[in-house]
């Protein structure tokens, strides 16, 4: 019994990481209605950026977050403002093609610089630290930290969307960019700002990913898939739904892996398909069709 | 110098030319109504003024600045607000959030949430509601209020009576003199000629993309307007 409780607990906490993966994707789809195929590769890129920062600047992994998050936010702003914005319009295929190309560029760039060897971040005792709840039930401190960060991040994003001028302009632009421009909203700036925020979350996700496990340059597409699944399970446009989606995916993967070490990813996909069949709009849909 | 000066303006959609050589001006504090049949180019003209549609020729000057070629958000920041045709409220935003979006440019001026609620008291009741839950007339009030929140120098109103009951139209038009006391210039596009004549200082009639008639309401006869409206 305790074994199963541990399994579910691990799955729930893994869901925190998946929610962080997915929040950035959800944001760029929610505001720009743009599907970012390079999203998973951006996560892996952020992980490698953290590896590089730790190696080159001799910082602790925790401090690497402080460097990587703002750096990726700036990079995200610039990428949206100077590249992605040019592809936005009635044709949904153009951003898809662009980000698909970017995905290949990032993967091969990482391969060139870091080789195909897997990399990780040495976080010392934190990697194995446990909280023992007794009765043979325990969970890792790092996964818990990731989950708490995910909850805090989503709460912060939700607050920004609900209660700030920038958040209102995100939602208004998502609804109707032409009318928003009548109010003085420069949608190119709004999109870039949204991408900056999404990239900051991507950076957090990437650094946590490389703290938890090792990464290789070709890991991006799988992270993209998990992100998509978490977003779709949760329902488009709902950030708390994305957290729920991440948790569901994490639990399904943990249970699958418990039954058979090779079934983890499979069970995640099956849970996704099940939700898609029973509730195609996701658990908590919010985004309106335009 | 007029607040808005338009000289030899042309505009259109693709190969279709909708406006031919329009000369037009609005003075500070003036209320001008544009009337005309469907397809006369009225909405195209407003959209061009607001930067939603690029002019294909001619000059646009607002408040002494050459605004031709400016994007919509820049023109909005310069002090042109619009209550667009069809209201176009943001469906994900509450009534109050829609109004706050109007104040996005943070232009200083007399119009605040409280002033808009004083002008349209019913909106205060529905402030937390979603805009799409309101009646057509209430939605129109939100659209006008949202435009006022920008504290514009020129307010463009596109067909604010469209699809509304006459009594509701009267209620909304009753607020226009109050809005004008703040010195805002008004440019109304209107199919309802009676309303247009009542509230404006000057009427301009568009016909097939050209200005067919222009004058103070009192100076124009019914026959003149009818001829300008429908053609000979």
């Amino acid at each position: 019994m305790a074994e199963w409780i541990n399994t579910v607990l691990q799955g729930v906490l893994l869901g925190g990481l998946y929610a962080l993966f997915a929040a950035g994707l959800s944001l760029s789809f929610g505001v720009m209605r743009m599907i970012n195929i390079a999203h998973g590769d951006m996560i892996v890129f952020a992980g490698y950026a953290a590896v590089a920062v730790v190696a080159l600047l001799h910082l602790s992994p925790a401090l690497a977050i402080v460097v990587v998050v703002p750096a990726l936010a700036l990079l995200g702003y610039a990428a949206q403002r100077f590249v992605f914005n040019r592809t936005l319009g009635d044709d949904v295929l153009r951003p898809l093609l662009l980000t698909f190309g970017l995905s290949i560029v990032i993967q091969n760039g990482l391969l060139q610089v870091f080789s195909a060897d897997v990399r990780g971040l040495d976080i010392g005792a934190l990697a194995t630290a446990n909280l023992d709840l007794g009765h043979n039930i325990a969970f890792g401190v790092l996964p818990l930290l990731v989950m708490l960060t995910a909850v805090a991040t989503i709460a912060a994003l939700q607050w920004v969307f609900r209660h700030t001028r920038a958040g209102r302009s995100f939602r208004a632009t998502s609804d109707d960019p032409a009318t928003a421009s009548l109010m003085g909203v420069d949608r190119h700036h709004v999109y870039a700002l949204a991408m900056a925020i999404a990239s900051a979350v991507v950076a957090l996700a990437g650094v946590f990913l490389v703290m938890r496990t090792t990464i290789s340059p070709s890991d991006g597409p799988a992270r993209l898939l998990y992100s998509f699944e978490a977003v779709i399970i949760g329902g488009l446009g709902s950030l708390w739904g994305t957290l729920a989606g991440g948790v569901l995916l994490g639990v399904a993967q943990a249970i699958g892996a418990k039954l058979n070490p090779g079934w983890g990813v499979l069970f995640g996909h099956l849970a996704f398909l099940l939700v898609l069949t029973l509730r195609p709009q996701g658990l908590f849909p919010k985004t309106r069709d335009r | 110098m007029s607040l808005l000066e338009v000289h030899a303006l042309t505009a259109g959609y693709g190969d279709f030319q909708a406006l031919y050589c329009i000369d037009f001006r609005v003075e500070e504090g003036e209320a001008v109504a544009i009337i005309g049949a469907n397809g006369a180019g009225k909405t195209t003209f407003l959209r061009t003024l607001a930067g939603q549609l690029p002019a294909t020729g001619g000059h646009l000057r607002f408040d002494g600045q050459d605004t031709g070629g400016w994007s919509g958000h820049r023109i909005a920041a310069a002090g042109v607000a619009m209550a667009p045709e069809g209201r176009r409220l943001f469906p994900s935003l509450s009534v109050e959030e829609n109004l706050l979006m109007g104040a996005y440019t943070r232009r200083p001026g007399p119009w605040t949430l409280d002033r808009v609620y004083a002008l349209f008291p019913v909106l205060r009741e529905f402030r937390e509601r979603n805009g799409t839950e309101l009646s057509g007339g209430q939605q129109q009030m939100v659209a006008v209020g949202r435009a006022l929140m920008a504290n514009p120098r020129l307010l463009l109103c596109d067909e604010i009576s469209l699809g509304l009951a006459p009594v509701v139209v009267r209620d909304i038009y009753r607020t226009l003199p109050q809005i004008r006391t703040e010195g805002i210039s008004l440019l109304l596009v209107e199919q309802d000629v009676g309303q247009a004549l009542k509230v404006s200082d000057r009427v301009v009639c568009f016909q097939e993309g050209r200005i067919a008639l222009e004058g103070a309401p009192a100076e124009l006869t019914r026959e003149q307007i009818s001829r300008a409206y429908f053609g000979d």
Side-chain angles (χ1 to χ4, degrees):
Chain A
M1 186 62 203
E3 244 179 273
W4 282 102
I5 294 178
N6 277 325
T7 301
V8 171
L9 212 52
Q10 277 169 25
V12 168
L13 295 184
L14 179 62
L17 184 64
Y18 289 168
L20 278 182
F21 285 174
L25 191 74
S26 180
L27 208 69
S28 59
F29 180 78
V31 178
M32 283 83 93
R33 309 277 170 140
M34 178 181 116
I35 292 168
N36 183 3
I37 298 291
H39 180 73
D41 303 289
M42 285 166 62
I43 294 170
V44 174
F45 176 84
Y48 274 103
V51 170
V53 162
V54 168
L56 295 175
L57 304 180
H58 307 291
L59 293 175
S60 74
L63 274 177
I65 294 181
V66 182
V67 177
V68 173
V69 169
L72 250 79
L74 279 177
L75 208 58
Y77 186 96
Q80 184 71 42
R81 185 97 208 203
F82 301 114
V83 185
F84 296 167
N85 275 344
R86 296 168 186 269
T87 67
L88 293 179
D90 294 330
D91 186 359
V92 294
L93 200 59
R94 291 197 295 168
L96 270 180
L97 287 175
L98 175 73
T99 53
F100 182 67
L102 183 64
S103 156
I104 296 171
V105 169
I106 293 177
Q107 284 180 40
N108 286 283
L110 291 175
L111 195 62
Q112 193 73 31
V113 176
F114 293 95
S115 84
D117 294 343
V118 295
R119 300 285 181 122
L121 265 190
D122 181 15
I123 50 171
L126 184 58
T128 50
N130 269 298
L131 274 181
D132 200 337
L133 299 182
H135 308 287
N136 288 325
I137 296 171
F139 53 86
V141 173
L142 179 63
L144 180 67
L145 278 178
V146 174
M147 178 50 113
L148 291 177
T149 308
V151 171
T153 303
I154 285 174
L157 288 176
Q158 197 72 33
W159 184 83
V160 166
F161 264 69
R162 283 286 132 206
H163 299 292
T164 67
R165 172 172 172 270
R168 272 195 302 273
S169 72
F170 288 165
R171 286 186 288 144
T173 310
S174 170
D175 279 348
D176 185 346
T179 303
S181 82
L182 281 180
M183 323 278 116
V185 176
D186 176 1
R187 86 181 158 127
H188 291 106
H189 171 67
V190 162
Y191 288 164
L193 213 55
M195 188 48 104
I197 295 173
S199 301
V201 180
V202 158
L204 267 181
V207 178
F208 282 135
L209 174 68
V210 75
M211 282 180 175
R212 276 185 69 125
T213 178
T214 54
I215 53 174
S216 78
S218 55
D219 280 356
R223 312 302 130 187
L224 173 69
L225 203 54
Y226 300 160
S227 310
F228 264 128
E229 289 179 341
V231 170
I232 302 291
I233 292 173
L236 285 177
S238 161
L239 285 165
W240 289 117
T242 298
L243 181 66
V247 167
L248 197 74
L249 192 64
V251 170
Q253 286 190 359
I255 289 175
K258 171 88 184 133
L259 294 173
N260 180 321
W263 287 357
V265 173
L266 174 69
F267 265 55
H269 295 332
L270 287 178
F272 165 69
L273 288 176
L274 196 68
V275 171
L276 210 55
T277 311
L278 299 178
R279 209 177 143 78
Q281 72 274 39
L283 302 175
F284 312 99
K286 245 205 182 133
T287 302
R288 285 152 198 279
D289 287 333
R290 173 160 84 185
Chain B
M1 188 183 66
S2 309
L3 182 64
L4 176 74
E5 292 176 49
V6 177
H7 181 63
L9 183 82
T10 59
Y13 306 89
D15 287 337
F16 173 70
Q17 190 170 355
L19 295 175
Y20 297 86
C21 208
I22 303 287
D23 284 312
F24 186 88
R25 56 181 55 216
V26 177
E27 306 297 333
E28 190 91 53
E30 196 185 18
V32 181
I34 299 178
I35 58 174
N38 273 333
K42 311 182 299 282
T43 292
T44 304
F45 183 58
L46 281 206
R47 283 170 46 87
T48 311
L49 295 183
Q52 299 289 306
L53 189 74
T56 50
H59 295 282
L60 269 179
R61 283 180 81 76
F62 178 73
D63 195 20
Q65 286 168 296
D66 206 339
T67 57
W70 283 22
S71 47
H73 68 91
R74 226 175 132 198
I75 292 181
V80 178
M82 174 147 100
E85 186 180 359
R87 281 118 29 199
R88 304 284 286 268
L89 302 189
F90 299 112
S92 312
L93 273 59
S94 69
V95 166
E96 184 152 306
E97 287 175 328
N98 264 285
L99 293 174
L100 288 171
M101 270 313 291
Y104 183 81
T105 56
R106 298 189 174 124
R107 287 174 54 83
W111 290 100
T112 58
L113 270 183
D114 278 336
R115 280 292 306 274
V116 171
Y117 286 144
L119 191 67
F120 301 116
V122 63
L123 296 187
R124 192 189 287 276
E125 266 173 69
F126 294 133
R127 60 203 284 179
E128 301 295 336
R129 295 271 191 95
N130 209 294
T132 46
E133 294 169 35
L134 271 54
S135 74
Q138 290 159 352
Q139 287 190 23
Q140 191 63 70
M141 292 172 191
V142 178
V144 172
R146 186 176 63 177
L148 287 173
M149 289 290 285
N151 282 302
R153 298 189 58 192
L154 175 64
L155 174 60
L156 312 174
C157 293
D158 196 357
E159 307 263 13
I160 50 178
S161 65
L162 199 70
L164 300 182
V167 54
V168 179
V169 174
R170 213 180 49 215
D171 278 353
I172 292 177
Y173 266 90
R174 246 202 304 252
T175 63
L176 292 185
Q178 230 175 311
I179 291 169
R180 290 188 63 191
T181 57
E182 301 291 353
I184 293 180
S185 305
L186 274 182
L187 182 50
L188 306 163
V189 159
E190 194 48 83
Q191 297 240 12
D192 183 336
V193 178
Q195 286 295 358
L197 294 175
K198 236 183 281 173
V199 295
S200 60
D201 304 320
R202 190 151 55 85
V203 181
V204 176
C205 188
F206 274 47
Q207 191 189 99
E208 290 170 7
R210 293 181 172 84
I211 292 179
L213 180 73
E214 192 176 344
E219 297 164 0
L220 301 177
T221 65
R222 254 182 198 289
E223 291 69 36
Q224 276 179 312
I225 291 173
S226 155
R227 202 173 329 120
Y229 210 97
F230 298 110
D232 295 308

